[in-house]
Amino acid sequence: MDSISNSDENSDMGYQPSASSLDQTDQSPTETTSYSILSGESFAYCRTSSVTSAFSEHTDDNSCSETASPNCWPGMKTPTRAALSRLGMKPHRYTLDEKRQDEETIDLELELMKERFSKLLLGEDMSGSGKGVCTAVTISNAITNLYASVFGQHQKLEPLRHDKKLMWRREMNCLLSVCDYIVEFAPALQTLKDGTTLEVMTSRPRSDIYINLPALRKLDTMLLDILDSFKETEFWYADPGSTSGNSTRSGSFRRIIQPQPQRVDEKWWLPIPCVSSTGLSEKAKKHLLQKRDCAYQIHKASLSINNSILAEMEIPESYIETLPKSGKASVGDTIYRYMYTTEKFYPDCLLDSLDIGSEHEALEFADKVEASMHTWRRKCVTHSKSSWDVVKDFVSEIDRNDKNNVLAARAETLLFCLKQRYPELSQTTLDTSKIQYNKDVGQAILESYSRVLEGLAFNIVAWIEDVLFVHKTMRRNQQTSCG
């Protein structure tokens, strides 16, 4: 992706979220029984909704290890004391009424904890018959639904509500605590008191979790800090139904902004950013540009982590069974001929020649290219001949393998360029299949965590772009009227 310039002229030419991306979290998590955190414009893997829970976890940002552990489970020694220790409850002196109220709150929180962990263990199958989804998918759904509960109604550049922030931190700490017990064994040297050196096996965090989880936690904190930086602003939001543009702190910008390309697909219920008739001050504009660049870099980082985790996931057999027998049949004769016959492959030129008018068409084309890529790769691996044909067809065999390798590499390049051109493109069929059939709990946590952070960062960039667009339009109108 191209970097974003801080200049006023390039603020419209940098990271340009589409109009449909402005409402990726415009649904309420309590309205439906099947919920996708972001709309189809960002990622389309649907999740089952969950009730709003309240893990009373210690909310320190750096308390990754201070999370729920098996010591808190029923049947263990002193479960109440262990649970309260994990909840961060310390003994204080209370009056009788305060103590009774605090005990009732603790009991409620413990019941909610039991309910949520029961759902995780049951795999969302409340019948208890063992027909629920695997643990990896359950935790992935839990992270996705938690994001919906916390950020589903947050559609403005303003700090997150205090109770929502506490909910996000304590419940993420509980869900991420699973990673503390995903370890791998490695040899290490241990020196005894008599000086004897022994080689022993020690446990350490699994490498992918050790590398990616701290980075994701840092990106999470940075995104919340960006929202907290908009406590006092020179812009405000009008109610979606407002049509008056005369008042000082209210009014709709829809009359001005609607003809612009950025609002072609505007949804009427989204809040509308407004600024004064003179626009923003230089200090406010500089602050917006700085936070936009920061959110954009966070989006790139979380997207990179998500792509790397998805690439490591195994391709499910259900997807392999749906692959076409011929990659040519999937992408079409014209594209196949260009990919195979051209000496130098230019994916951008190929994309320019295609009539892709919407993100839906781009996603459909991405599915075809990805299917062809894996078809050609499988032919390279599985294609073999009997011994008596090896000598006779040696040359043609090399040519065929070279052809499949070239086509697979060019398809991968084409798919990469397509995703670069449409950064808000939702997940492909292969990606959703990997998430649905994945059984690795660590990969499920990293994938879902990076995905929701990617969506939040994308939304923040879109909200900032909206405010900057309003500012530019007001300045332009002011200059026109003065001229």
Side-chain angles (χ1 to χ4, degrees):
M1 300 182 184
D2 297 330
S3 61
I4 301 178
S5 172
N6 288 339
S7 65
D8 188 26
E9 292 78 4
N10 293 336
S11 59
D12 285 341
M13 302 300 295
Y15 188 80
Q16 288 290 350
S18 64
S20 55
S21 67
L22 305 179
D23 57 348
Q24 292 181 0
T25 56
D26 55 15
Q27 297 184 20
S28 172
T30 59
E31 292 177 355
T32 58
T33 58
S34 179
Y35 191 86
S36 176
I37 292 304
L38 302 185
S39 66
E41 290 78 12
S42 179
F43 60 87
Y45 184 65
C46 297
R47 314 290 187 172
T48 54
S49 63
S50 64
V51 295
T52 303
S53 61
F55 285 128
S56 290
E57 171 64 25
H58 192 285
T59 58
D60 186 4
D61 289 339
N62 299 321
S63 60
C64 179
S65 61
E66 298 179 1
T67 52
S69 68
N71 294 330
C72 304
W73 296 352
M76 303 297 288
K77 185 177 180 180
T78 62
T80 303
R81 178 175 300 177
L84 295 183
S85 176
R86 292 298 182 183
L87 291 171
M89 301 296 180
K90 298 180 180 180
H92 297 282
R93 294 183 178 179
Y94 300 104
T95 63
L96 184 60
D97 293 339
E98 290 175 345
K99 185 175 181 180
R100 183 181 299 108
Q101 183 179 5
D102 187 63
E103 290 177 351
E104 292 176 355
T105 303
I106 293 175
D107 291 340
L108 178 60
E109 291 171 342
L110 289 177
E111 288 301 320
L112 290 173
M113 276 182 57
K114 292 178 183 179
E115 179 184 357
R116 288 299 296 274
F117 273 107
S118 297
K119 289 183 177 180
L120 290 176
L121 294 175
L122 290 171
E124 300 174 358
D125 175 24
M126 300 301 105
S127 67
S129 58
K131 297 180 181 179
V133 297
C134 67
T135 306
V137 178
T138 305
I139 294 182
S140 179
N141 289 347
I143 293 177
T144 308
N145 290 326
L146 174 61
Y147 176 82
S149 300
V150 175
F151 296 97
Q153 296 298 311
H154 193 88
Q155 302 168 356
K156 304 177 182 179
L157 287 175
E158 61 184 12
L160 190 66
R161 281 171 41 192
H162 182 67
D163 58 332
K164 292 290 186 180
K165 185 183 294 186
L166 291 179
M167 179 195 297
W168 172 254
R169 285 177 173 171
R170 66 173 173 252
E171 294 200 23
M172 281 304 301
N173 282 339
C174 288
L175 294 171
L176 295 178
S177 66
V178 179
C179 294
D180 295 340
Y181 303 94
I182 300 178
V183 297
E184 59 186 7
F185 292 96
L189 296 178
Q190 182 177 4
T191 304
L192 302 180
K193 293 182 179 180
D194 58 0
T196 305
T197 302
L198 298 176
E199 185 176 5
V200 297
M201 299 298 291
T202 59
S203 63
R204 63 184 183 187
R206 206 172 70 181
S207 57
D208 58 338
I209 295 176
Y210 180 78
I211 294 173
N212 293 313
L213 186 57
L216 290 174
R217 281 187 169 274
K218 181 63 177 179
L219 296 178
D220 186 352
T221 302
M222 292 173 65
L223 287 174
L224 293 179
D225 289 342
I226 291 177
L227 292 177
D228 288 340
S229 68
F230 292 102
K231 293 181 180 179
E232 297 181 1
T233 61
E234 296 181 6
F235 58 88
W236 66 98
Y237 289 88
D239 294 333
S242 175
T243 58
S244 173
N246 299 323
S247 60
T248 304
R249 298 293 295 179
S250 65
S252 173
F253 197 72
R254 194 175 308 277
R255 177 177 56 83
I256 301 175
I257 203 171
Q258 192 170 12
Q260 304 298 331
Q262 189 164 337
R263 286 282 178 159
V264 170
D265 296 328
E266 178 194 27
K267 293 190 177 180
W268 60 268
W269 60 84
L270 291 178
I272 304 165
C274 302
V275 299
S276 63
S277 58
T278 58
L280 301 171
S281 65
E282 287 299 320
K283 180 179 179 181
K285 187 184 70 173
K286 184 178 179 180
H287 177 258
L288 282 169
L289 291 173
Q290 180 184 3
K291 297 305 178 182
R292 182 192 64 178
D293 292 347
C294 182
Y296 176 54
Q297 296 302 324
I298 294 174
H299 176 266
K300 288 175 60 178
S302 56
L303 178 62
S304 176
I305 294 176
N306 187 263
N307 288 337
S308 65
I309 298 301
L310 285 173
E312 293 175 0
M313 289 185 179
E314 296 183 1
I315 301 177
E317 290 295 331
S318 59
Y319 178 81
I320 296 177
E321 293 174 356
T322 63
L323 289 176
K325 295 182 179 180
S326 171
K328 175 182 178 181
S330 180
V331 296
D333 293 340
T334 304
I335 299 176
Y336 172 82
R337 191 180 303 111
Y338 176 77
M339 294 176 64
Y340 179 57
T341 59
T342 183
E343 182 177 354
K344 293 185 178 180
F345 180 63
Y346 297 100
D348 289 328
C349 296
L350 178 57
L351 292 176
D352 291 337
S353 64
L354 299 176
D355 186 18
I356 301 179
S358 64
E359 293 174 13
H360 176 75
E361 294 177 354
L363 180 61
E364 186 178 359
F365 181 69
D367 284 334
K368 293 180 180 179
V369 173
E370 195 166 42
S372 298
M373 177 182 69
H374 286 286
T375 300
W376 289 321
R377 283 181 176 174
R378 284 177 58 82
K379 285 185 177 181
C380 294
V381 176
T382 61
H383 190 79
S384 62
K385 297 179 71 68
S386 57
S387 58
W388 64 274
D389 269 340
V390 170
V391 177
K392 183 178 66 174
D393 295 337
F394 179 74
V395 176
S396 60
E397 180 74 12
I398 294 178
D399 291 339
R400 277 193 293 270
N401 283 337
D402 284 345
K403 178 187 70 174
N404 291 325
N405 279 324
V406 169
L407 289 172
R410 290 183 172 182
E412 184 177 9
T413 304
L414 180 62
L415 183 63
F416 176 79
C417 293
L418 182 66
K419 290 183 177 180
Q420 290 289 98
R421 183 169 295 195
Y422 297 92
E424 68 279 8
L425 198 66
S426 60
Q427 291 173 321
T428 62
T429 302
L430 176 59
D431 293 339
T432 56
S433 298
K434 285 182 175 182
I435 297 172
Q436 182 179 0
Y437 294 98
N438 170 56
K439 295 184 179 180
D440 189 301
V441 176
Q443 289 181 342
I445 292 176
L446 294 176
E447 189 282 325
S448 56
Y449 195 15
S450 61
R451 173 161 39 83
V452 297
L453 294 182
E454 173 194 341
L456 178 58
F458 188 91
N459 285 336
I460 291 177
V461 172
W463 298 334
I464 295 177
E465 287 287 349
D466 257 3
V467 176
L468 292 174
F469 180 79
V470 173
H471 161 72
K472 286 178 176 294
T473 306
M474 296 299 290
R475 283 289 182 90
R476 191 181 304 115
N477 292 346
Q478 184 184 24
Q479 293 174 0
T480 303
S481 61
C482 292

